[in-house]
Amino acid sequence: MRYKLICLDVDGTLLNDEKRIPSPVKESLKKAYDLGIQIALVTGRMPAATELVERELGVPCIKACNAGTYILQGDQCIHARYLASEVMERLYQEFFGKEHLPLWIFQGRNWYVTKVDSYVERESRIICRRPETIDIKVLAESWKKESMGPNKLLAAADALTIGRIQNGMKALELPGVDMARSADIYLEIFPKGATKGEALEAICSRLNIRREETIAFGDQELDIPMLKKAGTAVAMGNAIEPLKELADFVTKSNNESGIAYGLERCLALK
């Protein structure tokens, strides 16, 4: 098989638990890039945070940010999806406001929050960027005038709270909305059908690559659609069980340079 595209989840996959790219992983991806294989970072991260990872990796990447709802090739947006601002308001009123949780709001390169808590502070330290604190009603009214909305929403809390909110949202059956966990403590909300799998397809269409010519690596629920669409699906050793069950094979964990091990198996990189 001649592969042409490698799609990588970032946190828990490309990065180890110290939020760094292990040296063997850097080396293997640089070798793949030198062979003419494109690298795509397909992540829940916003563009500024994804660009930090691209710089550490040291090779140009397609950046499918905000859970694949905002895709950049270089500095050019090549694909974007949006939620209705009315949906954003309703979700805040029905769930996050009642739970006294900040709602994280992503649109393009912008990051907004309804308030700051320890989870927001932690993310700010990791990506070296602070969000803008907003009044959600004011922001929604502004976007309604522009027929615009967010690419993605996110809530961060303890796993029990996130599970309760996720179950409540599923019961509400809001039209035009999908959701998935990117970790036990993170619930990501995005337009219906706007999955990492759709992002993989959009990148393939842009680059004129067949899905059979792709490899995808992931570890969490948010990565399942991407692995289902890829020609070769690789689950990290630290992945959740449902993802391991659908993968073509399971590599080592993110702390054991699992991507390097997986690429050696797929591409015979030495």
Side-chain angles (χ1 to χ4, degrees):
M1 168 66 73
R2 170 72 166 88
Y3 292 105
K4 296 182 179 179
L5 176 67
I6 300 169
C7 291
L8 305 169
D9 170 56
V10 172
D11 294 281
T13 300
L14 176 62
L15 302 183
N16 61 22
D17 289 350
E18 296 177 351
K19 299 299 181 182
R20 302 305 300 268
I21 306 174
S23 294
V25 174
K26 286 184 186 179
E27 293 167 8
S28 66
L29 287 169
K30 286 179 180 177
K31 286 180 181 178
Y33 183 78
D34 289 342
L35 291 172
I37 301 173
Q38 296 285 329
I39 310 296
L41 305 178
V42 188
T43 174
R45 288 186 171 217
M46 63 183 292
T50 308
E51 287 163 353
L52 290 175
V53 177
E54 180 186 37
R55 285 197 291 273
E56 183 181 352
L57 183 57
V59 299
C61 299
I62 305 290
K63 295 172 286 292
C65 309
N66 299 340
T69 60
Y70 188 76
I71 304 178
L72 293 167
Q73 185 175 20
D75 291 327
Q76 179 186 5
C77 177
I78 61 172
H79 177 82
R81 294 282 304 277
Y82 301 95
L83 281 163
S85 56
E86 293 87 353
V87 169
M88 175 182 73
E89 275 192 293
R90 183 176 178 188
L91 288 175
Y92 182 75
Q93 293 165 358
E94 294 275 350
F95 299 101
F96 311 109
K98 289 181 179 179
E99 294 280 354
H100 306 289
L101 292 179
L103 181 60
W104 303 18
I105 303 163
F106 299 90
Q107 187 199 65
R109 292 183 171 274
N110 300 312
W111 176 25
Y112 308 99
V113 295
T114 53
K115 67 177 182 178
V116 174
D117 67 356
S118 60
Y119 292 96
V120 173
E121 291 285 5
R122 177 178 177 272
E123 184 69 12
S124 296
R125 290 193 297 270
I126 290 171
I127 69 173
C128 303
R129 182 180 178 126
R130 293 195 66 81
E132 178 182 347
T133 304
I134 52 86
D135 182 309
I136 196 165
K137 291 184 178 179
V138 173
L139 182 63
E141 286 304 316
S142 172
W143 280 349
K144 286 173 189 176
K145 294 174 184 177
E146 303 170 5
S147 298
M148 183 54 68
N151 298 116
K152 185 189 81 166
L153 306 172
L154 183 144
D158 64 89
L160 288 176
T161 299
I162 289 297
R164 183 170 66 249
I165 291 173
Q166 186 176 22
N167 290 335
M169 286 181 58
K170 286 179 179 177
L172 194 60
E173 296 183 346
L174 273 177
V177 175
D178 274 339
M179 74 195 86
R181 291 199 199 193
S182 53
D184 285 345
I185 60 172
Y186 293 125
L187 178 63
E188 310 214 11
I189 303 149
F190 33 83
K192 189 77 174 178
T195 66
K196 287 189 176 186
E198 183 190 66
L200 182 149
E201 290 182 315
I203 295 167
C204 286
S205 177
R206 178 76 177 191
L207 301 180
N208 196 26
I209 290 172
R210 294 182 294 117
R211 281 170 41 194
E212 293 79 8
E213 299 170 321
T214 66
I215 309 170
F217 290 79
D219 72 311
Q220 287 290 336
E221 179 186 1
L222 199 62
D223 303 316
I224 288 175
M226 178 172 70
L227 267 67
K228 285 183 175 179
K229 295 287 186 181
T232 298
V234 185
M236 303 300 292
N238 52 290
I240 59 173
E241 285 304 316
L243 195 143
K244 288 181 178 179
E245 290 170 4
L246 67 86
D248 293 301
F249 70 92
V250 178
T251 187
K252 296 181 180 179
S253 77
N254 63 320
N255 290 322
E256 301 170 300
S257 302
I259 287 175
Y261 182 83
L263 289 179
E264 182 176 325
R265 175 169 172 174
C266 292
L267 307 177
L269 292 176
K270 301 291 184 181

